[in-house]
């Protein structure tokens, strides 16, 4: 959740180096791959590497010998026979070589522990980067010298999830239309429909810059909905359809009802609150029953009312850039800066409770007031200052790590732990931050010369906004802003009916 398992540079950032090693700050950082979940000066022989098959294996979740002979998949690589339908699959993309970024960056939304929650970047100047790497100056001169000879104010300490979500969710989509597409054939994503499916539109459908102008989403869902029933319908929208099956990696098949998997092609067996060491915890998939869907839908409505309206999909996926609490416990507002709305709803629904309660990470601070004060203290009585000076003559390293930003457990991010990225991997293609279909009702009456009503009529129309501009520009894709009337996109009447008075 908070560290990059695939990092090519697996070392501490300047924040860890300075705040951990300084005599003034003491052990002021911690994390699953650093030290302090285990205690003040921990020593755990259980974490010593165990040689297995010529390789040294380590497991932070118990004796390595228990796990060394088994390999568990945690990441997917796209395959030609499995079309990518949702931007959510990009959670598997290695976006960063640095250990201090999350493994699953895109689609998730946990606040970065090395910066303030009201911002996305922690700038660190040149001399702080001297401490990163095997030898002094190695980072600047050998790793990054080709980019910038001076590392002053470089933003390698940034909230990668926030920035990736912001860059992609509202600018791109995946049509999954194959290059050998034949008009009239079914698209891999059955929820995406061509407006006109003819040979004349085929070239546009296969054009990365024009395909969206020819496509519509069937049953798009507005994430600003405050209807529990609507959210429950979304989460259960793939249920009870015998035609929907998923092929597992071993060739077996399983019904797709409410199946959520970290992997593009699920493997293993269903996770049902299995023990931590059970294979299903590390290679299984999740299903949501009726009760879980109902609770999750209720919690989503709570989040929408707290954070909405969401102005874009990135706004919905990302956490809020909210100030931390000025003192005492987290408030409803400050909590919005810790994670996105969907993840907050998932966590409060208790879907992941068994995993969260295992290998829990205590959110602790340190009182560095001398030998008598060298103790761990719980958050709650006061919130730490966002800036913590080291010692006289040393630079202030910007915001110190925020322990509330750490994941709740070391099992957060395990394959059986349901994340918002897992949900978005499935529902990403059908969600929207606005509605394009509207119900319009109108009333008219007829009066005689004396003003008496002689007739009344009520009518209802369903209208839909289409991608087609009323007055297109030269590309044909966008409305012509220089046109005499700026009417935007074309609306079409989908249905029309007269109403009776008892329907009003």
């Amino acid at each position: 959740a908070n560290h990059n398992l695939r990092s090519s540079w697996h070392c501490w950032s300047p924040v860890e180096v300075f705040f951990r090693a300084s005599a003034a700050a003491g052990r002021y950082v911690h994390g699953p791959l650093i030290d302090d979940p285990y205690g003040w000066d921990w020593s755990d022989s259980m974490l010593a590497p165990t040689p297995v098959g010529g390789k040294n294996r380590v497991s932070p979740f118990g004796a390595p010998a228990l796990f060394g002979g088994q390999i568990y998949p945690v990441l997917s690589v796209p395959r030609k026979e499995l079309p990518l339908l949702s931007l959510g699959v990009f959670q598997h993309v290695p976006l960063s070589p640095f250990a201090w970024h999350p493994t699953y960056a895109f689609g998730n939304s946990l606040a970065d522990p090395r910066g303030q929650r009201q911002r996305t970047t922690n700038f660190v100047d040149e001399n702080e980067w001297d401490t990163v790497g095997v030898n002094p100056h190695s980072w600047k001169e050998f790793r990054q010298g080709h980019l910038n000879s001076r590392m002053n104010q470089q933003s390698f300490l940034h909230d990668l999830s926030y920035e990736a979500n912001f860059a992609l969710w509202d600018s791109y989509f995946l049509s999954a239309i194959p290059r050998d597409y034949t008009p009239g054939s079914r698209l891999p994503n059955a929820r995406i429909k061509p407006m006109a499916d003819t040979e004349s539109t085929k070239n546009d459908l296969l054009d990365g810059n024009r395909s969206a102008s020819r496509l519509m989403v069937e049953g798009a869902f507005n994430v600003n909905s405050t209807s529990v029933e609507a959210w429950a319908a979304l989460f259960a929208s793939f249920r009870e359809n015998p035609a929907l099956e998923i092929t597992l990696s071993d060739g077996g098949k399983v019904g797709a009802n409410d199946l959520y998997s970290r992997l593009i092609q699920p493997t293993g067996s269903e996770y049902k609150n299995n023990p931590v060491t059970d294979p299903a915890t590390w290679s299984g998939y999740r299903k949501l029953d009726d009760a879980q869907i109902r609770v999750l839908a209720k919690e989503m409505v709570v989040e929408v009312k707290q954070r909405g309206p969401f102005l874009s999909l990135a706004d919905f996926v990302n956490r809020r850039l909210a100030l931390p609490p000025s003192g005492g416990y987290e408030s409803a507002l400050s909590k919005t800066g810790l994670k996105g709305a969907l993840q907050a709803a998932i966590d409060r629904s208790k879907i992941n409770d068994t995993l969260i309660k295992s290998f829990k990470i205590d959110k602790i601070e340190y009182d560095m007031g001398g030998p008598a004060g060298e103790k761990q203290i719980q958050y709650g009585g006061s919130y730490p200052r966002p800036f913590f000076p080291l010692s006289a003559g040393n630079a202030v390293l910007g915001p110190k790590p925020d322990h509330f930003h750490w994941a709740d457990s070391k099992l957060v991010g395990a394959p059986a732990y349901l994340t918002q990225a897992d949900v978005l991997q499935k529902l990403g293609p059908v969600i929207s931050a606005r509605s394009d279909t509207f119900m319009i009702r109108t009333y008219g009456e007829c009066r005689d010369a004396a003003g008496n009503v002689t007739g009344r009529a009520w009518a209802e129309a369903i209208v839909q906004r289409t991608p087609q501009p009323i007055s297109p520009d030269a590309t044909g894709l966008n409305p012509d802003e220089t046109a005499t009337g700026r009417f935007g996109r074309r609306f079409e009447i989908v249905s029309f009916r007269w109403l009776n008075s008892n329907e009003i």
Side-chain angles (χ1 to χ4, degrees):
N2 296 123
H3 294 83
N4 185 359
L5 295 176
R6 291 178 291 181
S7 62
S8 55
W9 274 82
H10 196 84
C11 55
W12 292 341
S13 74
V15 171
E16 276 93 1
V17 172
F18 272 74
F19 280 113
R20 183 182 186 280
S22 164
R27 293 280 185 83
Y28 227 91
V29 295
H30 72 195
L33 302 184
I34 302 173
D35 56 7
D36 293 319
Y38 293 94
W40 182 256
D41 286 309
W42 66 273
S43 176
D44 193 345
S45 60
M46 296 288 283
L47 296 180
T50 297
V52 177
K55 298 179 180 179
N56 285 329
R57 298 189 182 276
V58 177
S59 171
F61 310 106
L66 297 177
F67 301 92
Q70 181 65 50
I71 296 176
Y72 297 109
V74 295
L75 297 155
S76 278
V77 176
R79 295 163 56 180
K80 185 176 181 180
E81 64 271 22
L82 297 174
L84 304 182
L85 306 181
S86 169
L87 288 177
V89 300
F90 289 159
Q91 70 169 311
H92 297 283
V93 176
L95 295 178
S96 170
F98 306 136
W100 52 79
H101 284 145
T103 298
Y104 305 104
F106 183 72
N108 284 312
S109 59
L110 298 182
D112 193 284
R114 297 163 186 84
Q116 292 172 289
R117 71 179 72 176
Q118 69 267 33
R119 55 191 289 182
T120 65
T121 302
N122 181 1
F123 290 103
V124 175
D125 63 30
E126 180 184 10
N127 64 329
E128 264 70 65
W129 290 104
D130 287 342
T131 61
V132 176
V134 180
N135 301 305
H137 310 294
S138 63
W139 177 273
K140 284 192 307 183
E141 296 176 8
F142 298 110
R143 178 63 175 174
Q144 296 297 335
H146 62 289
L147 294 178
N148 187 348
S149 58
R150 293 180 61 82
M151 296 294 293
N152 191 46
Q153 294 295 288
Q154 290 301 295
S155 56
F156 294 107
L157 299 179
H158 58 270
D159 190 329
L160 183 61
S161 288
Y162 190 101
E163 298 293 354
N165 292 330
F166 182 80
L168 296 179
W169 274 108
D170 294 290
S171 299
Y172 301 92
F173 81 107
L174 298 179
S175 72
I177 299 176
R179 304 308 301 173
D180 59 355
Y181 174 71
T182 301
S185 59
R186 178 175 174 145
L187 297 180
N189 185 349
R191 298 287 285 271
I192 293 182
K193 306 287 186 181
M195 290 181 60
D197 198 7
T198 65
E199 282 292 337
S200 62
T201 62
K202 176 179 176 180
N203 289 338
D204 282 350
L205 289 174
L206 296 177
D207 188 324
N209 294 315
R210 303 182 68 90
S211 61
S213 70
R214 299 291 187 178
L215 294 170
M216 312 246 331
V217 178
E218 186 174 40
F221 183 85
N222 190 334
V223 294
N224 287 298
S225 171
T226 55
S227 166
V228 173
E229 289 74 17
W231 277 104
L234 175 69
F235 294 132
S237 59
F238 294 91
R239 302 193 70 194
E240 306 305 330
N241 187 339
L244 288 176
E245 286 188 330
I246 290 181
T247 301
L248 301 177
S249 58
D250 62 2
K253 295 183 181 297
V254 62
N257 297 347
D258 302 319
L259 190 152
Y260 294 92
S261 172
R262 179 72 44 78
L263 305 178
I264 299 173
Q265 184 174 26
T267 184
S269 57
E270 180 183 355
Y271 170 81
K272 298 179 179 179
N273 292 325
N274 301 60
V276 171
T277 56
D278 192 281
T281 304
W282 299 101
S283 60
Y285 51 84
R286 298 291 300 264
K287 285 191 175 185
L288 302 182
D289 58 32
D290 291 345
Q292 290 173 323
I293 286 175
R294 174 61 61 172
V295 172
L296 181 56
K298 289 181 178 179
E299 295 297 345
M300 274 309 310
V301 170
V302 172
E303 289 299 320
V304 174
K305 291 180 177 180
Q306 170 67 33
R307 305 177 190 228
F310 302 108
L311 304 182
S312 67
L313 281 183
D315 194 28
F316 167 68
V317 174
N318 274 328
R319 64 186 182 86
R320 285 282 183 261
L321 299 183
L323 288 168
S326 58
Y329 295 96
E330 295 276 4
S331 66
L333 180 60
S334 68
K335 284 182 179 179
T336 64
L338 295 175
K339 60 190 73 170
L342 181 52
Q343 189 63 57
I346 291 172
D347 290 346
R348 282 207 314 278
S349 71
K350 303 188 182 304
I351 292 172
N352 293 315
D353 256 22
T354 299
L355 297 174
I356 289 178
K357 292 177 181 177
S358 302
F359 297 98
K360 190 174 181 61
I361 296 175
D362 293 326
K363 308 301 175 70
I364 51 178
E365 271 292 341
Y366 292 103
D367 178 355
M368 299 304 299
E374 290 182 354
K375 58 184 180 181
Q376 299 176 347
I377 57 175
Q378 292 294 126
Y379 269 166
S382 62
Y383 193 84
R385 294 170 58 193
F387 287 86
F388 188 88
L390 297 176
S391 58
N394 286 336
V396 175
L397 244 186
K400 75 174 183 62
D402 190 326
H403 294 186
F404 265 9
H405 292 185
W406 290 113
D408 294 321
S409 163
K410 291 195 292 180
L411 295 185
V412 171
Y417 184 95
L418 187 67
T419 69
Q420 73 168 28
D422 299 335
V423 177
L424 292 171
Q425 189 167 257
K426 188 169 185 175
L427 301 180
V430 301
I431 57 176
S432 173
R434 72 177 192 191
S435 294
D436 288 298
T437 304
F438 307 92
M439 176 190 292
I440 299 175
R441 285 186 168 184
T442 186
Y443 164 78
E445 62 184 24
C446 180
R447 295 176 180 266
D448 61 19
N452 299 314
V453 176
T454 59
R456 292 186 176 91
W458 298 265
E460 175 187 281
I462 304 296
V463 298
Q464 186 175 36
R465 178 168 37 211
T466 71
Q468 184 178 359
I470 294 290
S471 302
D473 63 7
T475 68
L477 302 178
N478 304 306
D480 184 358
E481 293 299 323
T482 65
T484 302
R486 298 184 181 183
F487 296 108
R489 306 286 173 177
R490 184 180 300 276
F491 279 81
E492 295 183 355
I493 299 177
V494 178
S495 68
F496 177 88
R497 69 186 183 108
W498 297 104
L499 301 174
N500 298 316
S501 59
N502 59 4
E503 294 182 90
I504 304 303

